[in-house]
Amino acid sequence: MAPRLPSMSVRSLLKERRRRRRARARLERRTPPEEISPEMAASAGYWRRLGTRAGLGVNVACGRDATAELARASSNRVAGEVWRQGSRLSELRTQIKRDGFFTLGPSELCADPSVLHALRLGAKRLKARGWPATMLLLYDEMWLLLTHISRIMKAVTGCAPSFDTLAWNIDPSEGQAGFAPHRDRQPADVPGSFRADGSAKYVTLWLALTPATTTNSCMHIIPRQHDPGYDAGMPPSPV
């Protein structure tokens, strides 16, 4: 007869499971990124646990048609794309060709407030754990937002997403600020970076997840007609 194994009640099993989860959470909180094992860093569970309290999800669409799932999950399309209405799209195209930039207000962006809120909290949680804000790209909510933004950029500029995406967490209380004047991704052949109609082949989009002012790294832009370097190029920034 096989020896009888010690019995464990359901309550004991649940208690042990909770104890292990708490121990794992303590270990993850105390371990800085540079000391995390490759296995832990590659684990969807690690990032899911880190983002849960911020309302962020990982691989929600896994195993399905992810593109279609993102489109269905995003309330942006349901809310309506205000920037397409009336003559607004034509105005935006004219503005970026003339000024080198265009702007959209929060009501025109039509981004899901819950997605923006989750990304704000997620950036703070990542920073608290020692991770850069760009790690938000591991979460579905970032791709929901990028899916919507890509439609705007394609319609206004004709540029498709290049997945050259970064996120920043700038804290003035820590002496942090934005960047020195610069031009993103200026090529060696500047004239070749424009289409025949004068529109740019590469365009950068900047989206503030929190209120941006002159004291905490808001964007400053020189209009194209006042910026000789827009069409001719400029020397690299010293910083």
Side-chain angles (χ1 to χ4, degrees):
M1 180 180 294
R4 297 183 61 185
L5 298 175
S7 62
M8 183 176 288
S9 67
V10 173
R11 180 177 296 178
S12 298
L13 285 171
L14 293 175
K15 185 176 180 180
E16 175 63 16
R17 189 176 298 172
R18 286 194 296 268
R19 185 193 68 78
R20 291 181 179 179
R21 281 203 298 263
R22 287 194 295 267
R24 181 180 59 196
R26 285 195 298 270
L27 175 64
E28 291 177 353
R29 284 196 300 269
R30 294 172 181 173
T31 308
E34 60 271 17
E35 296 180 11
I36 285 180
S37 67
E39 293 76 20
M40 183 182 293
S43 167
Y46 170 80
W47 298 103
R48 187 177 293 113
R49 289 187 292 273
L50 195 159
T52 294
R53 290 189 179 181
L56 297 173
V58 177
N59 290 339
V60 173
C62 186
R64 315 172 201 172
D65 182 345
T67 302
E69 184 66 19
L70 285 172
R72 285 193 295 270
S74 174
S75 65
N76 297 322
R77 187 180 293 276
V78 177
E81 295 175 323
V82 181
W83 48 272
R84 286 188 185 275
Q85 298 177 6
S87 62
R88 184 56 172 152
L89 179 55
S90 177
E91 292 171 357
L92 294 173
R93 288 171 174 168
T94 298
Q95 183 186 3
I96 192 168
K97 192 179 297 184
R98 180 192 66 230
D99 300 333
F101 71 93
F102 71 92
T103 57
L104 288 176
S107 62
E108 291 185 295
L109 184 63
C110 298
D112 186 339
S114 65
V115 169
L116 297 179
H117 179 68
L119 291 172
R120 285 194 293 270
L121 293 181
K124 292 178 180 179
R125 285 186 60 79
L126 286 166
K127 181 179 180 180
R129 293 286 187 89
W131 291 103
T134 298
M135 302 307 284
L136 285 171
L137 286 164
L138 290 169
Y139 294 99
D140 294 352
E141 285 73 16
M142 179 64 94
W143 294 100
L144 286 171
L145 183 61
L146 291 176
T147 297
H148 177 56
I149 288 174
S150 295
R151 293 197 295 268
I152 297 175
M153 296 296 281
K154 182 67 174 178
V156 177
T157 72
C159 296
S162 65
F163 302 104
D164 181 3
T165 306
L166 296 170
W168 304 96
N169 190 340
I170 307 297
D171 188 348
S173 67
E174 297 182 3
Q176 299 173 357
F179 303 90
H182 66 283
R183 195 178 311 283
D184 287 336
R185 309 297 186 267
Q186 178 176 290
D189 177 19
V190 175
S193 65
F194 294 93
R195 302 184 183 94
D197 64 356
S199 61
K201 296 179 181 178
Y202 185 94
V203 181
T204 299
L205 180 139
W206 181 78
L207 171 65
L209 295 176
T210 57
T213 70
T214 55
T215 61
N216 70 350
S217 77
C218 72
M219 186 70 72
H220 297 259
I221 301 174
I222 301 175
R224 181 178 189 173
Q225 58 269 33
H226 300 294
D227 176 16
Y230 188 94
D231 294 279
M234 62 181 287
S237 171
V239 180

